[in-house]
Amino acid sequence: MQFLSILFWSLLGSFTAAVATETDISCLKSIKASLEDPFGYLNSSWDFSNNTEAYICRFAGVDCWHPDESRILNLRLSDMGLRGRFPLGIQNCTSLTGLNLSNNQLQGPIPLNISKIVPFVTSLDLSSNNFSGEIPSNIANCSYLNFLKLDHNRLTGHIPEKIGWLPKIKSFSVSDNLLSGPVPNFVNVTVLADSYVNNVGLCGGPLEIRCRVHRPRKFDYSFKSGFAIGYVVFGVSVAAVHMSYCVPWFSVGKRNKMITVAAMVMLIIRRRKNKKVDADQLSGGSTVDFLLQTQISSSEKYVTRMNFRDLSTATENFSQQNIIGVGQMGTMYKAALPNGWSIAVKRLFNPQHSDLEEQFTSELNTLGRLRHQNLLTLLGFCIEPKEKLLVYKYISNGSLFDWLHSTDDKKRILEWPLRVKIAVGVARGLAWLHHGCCNFWVAHLNISSKIILLDQNFEPKLSNFGKAMHINPQEINSSRSFSMDIEFLEQCFLKEDVFNFGILLLELITGKNATSLKNSDDGSLDKWISDVSSSSFCMYDAIDKLVIGQGHDGEIFEFFRVAYKCVVGLPEKRPNMLDVYNAARIIGERYYVADNSEISEQAEIKC
């Protein structure tokens, strides 16, 4: 019997080792294939042509349970410069207890089923990467976790409360992210404030900032008010459809200037909302107010509602010395938080004004829900009876307009390769808004060099979404009233952004103010471009003297042709933003290496 017992366990051990070898080798092959390895750490060490016993245990960053047994215990792949998304092939390392991917350039979300990918992990270190999105609540099912490091990423949303229930947790850190809401209450360990620093929206626990209790407001939304809203929306919608089919362009003003249907529809909507009708005087307030309040309340799921007193203190009581800009909506202030972070606070001019309130809600509803590397990050908002404020991540280099139209010394810094980087970044952001943004489109409708902000690396950020429009093609297609109007909506609104991007591209090429470009001598922009393109002499004369003749002329001419296609008079003749982005990226790849991932994978959205 003893002999049979020994034989049984020997055979079982051999079988387990064989299975582990196959799955663990598959695990490492998948990791190597899914990640970019610019410094060759994996390519030089992970050689799968070796057939010696337990050869994978000698790979860089691989620890095995036993030197002679190909069962992986730990993966230590930190500080290798690896790029890509979280490698899902790790789930084939079935005996893994430690995973360290820190100090790389990994991006995208942490997998929602993380506990199924690394079920037995005791140490998980994803710090110092570019992971984004929310921390998955499923991570609380990794019941063996002792150490969890998620700091120095771009994680957003709330920290799952269930993380505090992890039975074996000893160390936890989420510092330097974009998290908000209350911190979890840990049952078995004391987590200090240092684990949460540089998350402007976190509160509670060991932090000095207390969490505010929000009581939902009650609204009396009667059938009559709902009918009134539906009637107004239907009326404006029918007008939009009629104009789309019958009158694609309008002539207005003394100069017989042409404007688009998009501009006309927006004008009608605003005028309609400004009219006071009896149907809007329900439940002590207007139906428009009800809609705005509902949207604002829903935004609290995505961004933090902040305290006016704290923001006033951070801006030194909104001191004039802290003003960094004045726009159509309000004044922008630079503010310093106690933890050393710099933020930007926009204070509305007149919070009760219906147009400003609508723009405030649009900005909150758009930037609050969307996250992308080329969109300005909205951190929070504040609403008081006589105040409305929006809080953003501080962008150190200001607006593109100020760089292009400042003194030559400052303008000279924007050499052509840097202008290409800015153009490609803006095109990428717009292409994502138009084509990769979950199940709806977002038309910005206010693109200009003044709303393009530049961070410390001159990466462009789109801002000012007060006039933005959300379009859900699925809802429109399912409605009989709009079943054949989807192309016209695209031409009216999305192609408006394409036109304005073309103007922005011309501004980068010529160095001229957008106003002077739009108002050419005979009022025809495409004719001016056609005339300029007709001869090399005219084209050289039109291009900014700071970039022409520097070895980039061929690329500049190609970008000029892209701009020409964007600003043609008829919207249906313009390309879409995805085609524009691809064209700009291909032309500019000599100077600026764009992210190879798909547009839809470059950001996250909170639907």
Side-chain angles (χ1 to χ4, degrees), residues 558-579:
E558 289 190 65
F559 268 101
F560 199 94
R561 282 190 283 271
V562 173
Y564 181 27
K565 293 179 181 178
C566 291
V567 299
V568 295
L570 295 175
E572 61 267 25
K573 295 293 182 67
R574 300 169 194 161
N576 62 49
M577 271 313 306
L578 187 57
D579 291 338

Side-chain angles (χ1 to χ4, degrees), residues 113-122 124 137-146 148 166-169:
N113 61 337
I114 184 70
S115 69
K116 292 184 178 181
I117 296 174
V118 286
F120 306 113
V121 73
T122 61
L124 181 60
S137 58
N138 181 265
I139 206 169
N141 294 332
C142 296
S143 56
Y144 298 98
L145 266 178
N146 287 199
L148 179 57
L166 285 167
K168 300 178 183 293
I169 195 72

Side-chain angles (χ1 to χ4, degrees), residues 16-90:
T16 303
V19 173
T21 299
E22 292 178 5
T23 58
D24 288 17
I25 291 175
S26 173
C27 168
L28 297 184
K29 285 183 177 180
S30 175
I31 293 171
K32 183 179 180 181
S34 65
L35 297 177
E36 294 182 41
D37 181 23
F39 301 110
Y41 288 106
L42 304 185
N43 288 330
S44 61
S45 173
W46 290 19
D47 181 7
F48 294 99
S49 63
N50 190 333
N51 292 321
T52 59
E53 186 177 3
Y55 68 96
I56 63 172
C57 299
R58 295 186 288 275
F59 285 1
V62 177
D63 296 337
C64 290
W65 283 81
H66 190 274
D68 298 328
E69 184 181 352
S70 297
R71 282 199 304 147
I72 298 173
L73 174 68
N74 296 309
L75 283 175
R76 308 179 190 276
L77 307 181
S78 63
D79 202 23
M80 291 186 173
L82 301 175
R83 298 173 182 167
R85 301 168 78 84
F86 187 98
L88 299 179
I90 286 178

Side-chain angles (χ1 to χ4, degrees), residues 257-544:
K257 183 180 178 182
M258 305 296 287
I259 67 171
T260 62
V261 174
M264 182 61 74
V265 171
M266 294 298 290
L267 184 62
I268 292 174
I269 291 174
R270 290 196 181 95
R271 288 178 178 174
R272 198 69 173 261
K273 285 184 177 179
N274 288 336
K275 290 183 180 180
K276 293 184 178 180
V277 293
D278 293 338
D280 285 334
Q281 307 301 322
L282 302 173
S283 305
S286 72
T287 54
V288 173
D289 287 340
F290 169 79
L291 288 175
L292 295 177
Q293 291 294 346
T294 302
Q295 290 181 330
I296 289 171
S297 297
S298 66
S299 296
E300 293 189 58
K301 302 175 187 176
Y302 313 120
V303 288
T304 303
R305 190 162 187 158
M306 297 182 173
N307 184 282
F308 178 79
R309 183 179 299 176
D310 293 339
L311 295 177
S312 179
T313 301
T315 57
E316 298 178 332
N317 199 25
F318 300 100
S319 167
Q320 287 191 350
Q321 295 180 347
N322 290 329
I323 294 177
I324 56 176
V326 179
Q328 296 178 349
M329 286 177 62
T331 305
M332 188 77 81
Y333 298 84
K334 182 179 180 181
L337 297 178
N339 59 17
W341 265 37
S342 293
I343 58 174
V345 180
K346 182 187 289 184
R347 189 184 192 187
L348 265 65
F349 292 131
N350 183 1
Q352 279 76 40
H353 193 283
S354 59
D355 280 350
L356 289 181
E357 188 171 29
E358 182 184 342
Q359 290 181 42
F360 174 88
T361 307
S362 176
E363 182 104 347
L364 180 59
N365 192 37
T366 304
L367 286 180
R369 296 179 63 189
L370 304 179
R371 291 288 184 271
H372 186 275
Q373 66 187 94
N374 296 115
L375 301 189
L376 180 63
T377 301
L378 180 68
L379 300 174
F381 69 101
C382 174
I383 297 178
E384 298 289 340
K386 295 184 179 180
E387 295 283 355
K388 282 187 174 66
L389 301 98
L390 292 166
V391 182
Y392 309 89
K393 184 178 180 180
Y394 175 67
I395 306 299
S396 58
N397 270 328
S399 75
L400 174 60
F401 180 88
D402 291 338
W403 283 88
L404 282 175
H405 307 295
S406 61
T407 61
D408 279 350
D409 288 341
K410 188 175 182 181
K411 185 178 178 181
R412 193 169 284 112
I413 297 174
L414 286 183
E415 296 179 345
W416 178 247
L418 206 52
R419 299 189 193 197
V420 170
K421 177 178 180 177
I422 294 167
V424 172
V426 174
R428 185 195 301 112
L430 282 173
W432 183 74
L433 289 172
H434 288 192
H435 303 282
C437 192
C438 200
N439 59 349
F440 60 88
W441 306 334
V442 178
H444 188 284
L445 301 179
N446 193 27
I447 294 296
S448 74
S449 60
K450 292 182 179 180
I451 66 95
I452 306 299
L453 304 181
L454 305 174
D455 69 9
Q456 68 273 19
N457 298 315
F458 287 89
E459 186 69 37
K461 310 288 182 181
L462 300 177
S463 67
N464 286 45
F465 281 78
K467 297 179 180 179
M469 177 172 289
H470 295 195
I471 304 169
N472 189 333
Q474 295 177 355
E475 289 184 0
I476 294 171
N477 283 330
S478 64
S479 170
R480 293 183 179 179
S481 301
F482 294 98
S483 59
M484 55 183 177
D485 196 46
I486 194 70
E487 289 186 23
F488 285 91
L489 282 175
E490 182 179 8
Q491 291 171 18
C492 289
F493 300 109
L494 300 189
K495 293 300 178 72
E496 185 81 4
D497 283 350
V498 174
F499 177 87
N500 288 328
F501 176 78
I503 295 293
L504 178 70
L505 201 52
L506 289 174
E507 201 171 347
L508 286 165
I509 294 169
T510 65
K512 296 180 180 179
N513 193 307
T515 304
S516 64
L517 289 169
K518 290 180 180 179
N519 299 324
S520 54
D521 292 338
D522 63 354
S524 175
L525 178 62
D526 51 352
K527 184 178 184 304
W528 174 80
I529 295 179
S530 180
D531 292 342
V532 168
S533 304
S534 62
S535 71
S536 299
F537 177 80
C538 292
M539 186 171 287
Y540 272 99
D541 189 55
I543 295 172
D544 192 339

